[in-house]
């Protein structure tokens, strides 16, 4: 029961009656209606509702609902953050993978380019070495053939002497043809006409190797010796291989 606290209680005198007077009881007083302020009817259910331990007030019910909703909302947020993180990580991973592919491709292309360049350089060097080896072998073979030809056909020295005499200038005088002693008779028989036409003398010279000759005159000389002729032929083939072997040169 609610009373207006702004007004005090007024003692109402007991009713007058013929009966014996009774002692005044504080519970016999009543409050006039006009003195009542705000009030509400009371019932046992109201008391139970106000003091029920498990009863929830609207504020408590809202707090409970909020407390119940918070875990669900948090789970949703966590799931969303996890999904966003997964997507970001996946995207970053793709970008990193693409960057790695490009870097790896560039590095491999550079390494392959260097490898191919080195391979080409090695191939060129090998080809040059092979060409030199083939040329050297050809020159060595040619020298053997010439030596064998001179040994088997020594009369060819007459042809060499004829060509050397004819190469001397027409104005030259005092022409001498120097040949190896073993080739003297062969040249005299094979080149007699050329010697007589130029008035040349044929002389034996032990220092001249067989198969060649040396023509001298007042205007100079023509070296038709085997070693000089071979040196010219080998130079055309790009070789510096001497006519005589190292052992033969050392023996001299």
């Amino acid at each position: 029961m609610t009373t207006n606290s702004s007004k005090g209680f007024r003692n109402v005198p007991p009713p007058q009656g013929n009966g014996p007077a009774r002692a005044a009881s504080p519970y016999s007083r009543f409050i006039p209606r006009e003195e009542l302020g705000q009030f509400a009817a009371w019932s046992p259910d109201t008391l139970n509702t106000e003091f029920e331990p498990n009863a929830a007030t609207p504020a408590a019910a809202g707090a409970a609902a909020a407390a119940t909703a918070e875990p669900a909302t948090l789970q949703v947020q966590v799931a969303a953050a996890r999904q966003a993180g997964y997507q970001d990580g996946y995207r970053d991973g793709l970008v990193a993978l693409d960057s790695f592919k490009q870097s790896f491709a560039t590095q491999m292309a550079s390494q392959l380019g260097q490898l191919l360049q080195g391979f080409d350089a090695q191939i060129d060097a090998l080809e040059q070495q092979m060409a030199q080896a083939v040329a050297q072998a050809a020159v060595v073979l040619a020298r053997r053939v010439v030596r064998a030809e001179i040994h088997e056909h020594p009369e060819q020295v007459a042809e060499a002497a004829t060509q050397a005499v004819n190469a001397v200038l027409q104005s030259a005088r005092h022409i001498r043809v120097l040949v190896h002693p073993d080739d003297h008779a062969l040249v005299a028989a094979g080149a007699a006409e050329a010697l007589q036409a130029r008035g040349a003398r044929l002389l034996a010279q032990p220092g001249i190797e067989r198969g060649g000759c040396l023509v001298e005159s007042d205007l100079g000389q023509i070296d038709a010796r085997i070693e000089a002729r071979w040196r010219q032929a080998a130079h055309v083939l790009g070789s510096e291989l001497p006519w005589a072997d190292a052992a033969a040169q050392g023996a001299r």
Side-chain angles (χ1 to χ4, degrees):
M1 181 174 57
T2 305
T3 59
N4 191 349
S5 59
S6 62
K7 296 181 181 182
F9 294 108
R10 185 177 60 182
N11 294 328
V12 180
Q16 299 295 327
N18 298 326
R22 290 182 297 178
S25 173
Y27 298 101
S28 62
R29 295 175 298 171
F30 70 94
I31 302 174
R33 186 176 184 86
E34 61 274 9
E35 296 183 2
L36 295 177
Q38 298 176 353
F39 68 94
W42 175 84
S43 65
D45 294 336
T46 304
L47 182 61
N48 292 333
T49 302
E50 293 179 355
F51 296 98
E52 184 67 29
N54 295 328
T57 61
T68 304
E70 284 182 358
T73 304
L74 182 60
Q75 292 179 358
V76 172
Q77 293 177 352
V78 169
R82 183 178 300 162
Q83 183 66 20
Y86 172 78
Q87 293 177 354
D88 292 343
Y90 184 76
R91 183 181 62 254
D92 294 343
L94 291 179
V95 173
L97 179 60
D98 185 66
S99 177
F100 171 77
K101 287 181 179 179
Q102 294 180 359
S103 177
F104 182 77
T106 302
Q107 182 179 3
M108 290 300 297
S110 177
Q111 292 179 356
L112 288 176
Q114 294 178 0
L115 181 62
L116 291 177
Q117 291 179 357
F119 183 73
D120 291 340
Q122 292 179 359
I123 290 296
D124 293 341
L126 181 60
E127 289 179 351
Q128 293 178 2
Q129 293 177 0
M130 292 178 62
Q132 293 176 359
V134 171
Q136 187 74 5
V139 173
V140 172
L141 180 61
R143 187 178 64 177
R144 291 179 181 178
V145 171
V146 173
R147 287 177 177 176
E149 187 70 15
I150 293 174
H151 178 73
E152 294 178 2
H153 303 281
E155 66 275 9
Q156 293 182 358
V157 66
E159 180 65 22
T162 300
Q163 294 177 357
V165 171
N166 292 333
V168 177
L169 295 176
Q170 294 295 328
S171 58
R173 298 290 183 269
H174 309 295
I175 299 175
R176 300 189 309 166
V177 180
L178 307 178
V179 297
H180 191 273
D182 294 339
D183 291 338
H184 187 275
L186 297 175
V187 174
E193 184 177 354
L195 295 174
Q196 292 176 2
R198 300 300 306 273
R201 293 187 301 166
L202 180 62
L203 302 175
Q205 181 69 37
I208 304 297
E209 187 176 0
R210 292 204 64 179
C213 65
L214 179 64
V215 179
E216 297 178 343
S217 69
D218 59 343
L219 298 180
Q221 65 179 16
I222 295 176
D223 192 352
R225 291 174 296 182
I226 291 294
E227 183 176 359
R229 291 158 61 190
W230 169 254
R231 186 167 54 249
Q232 292 177 359
H235 181 73
V236 173
L237 298 176
S239 175
E240 300 295 335
L241 183 68
W243 171 255
D245 295 331
Q249 290 180 349
R252 291 181 183 178

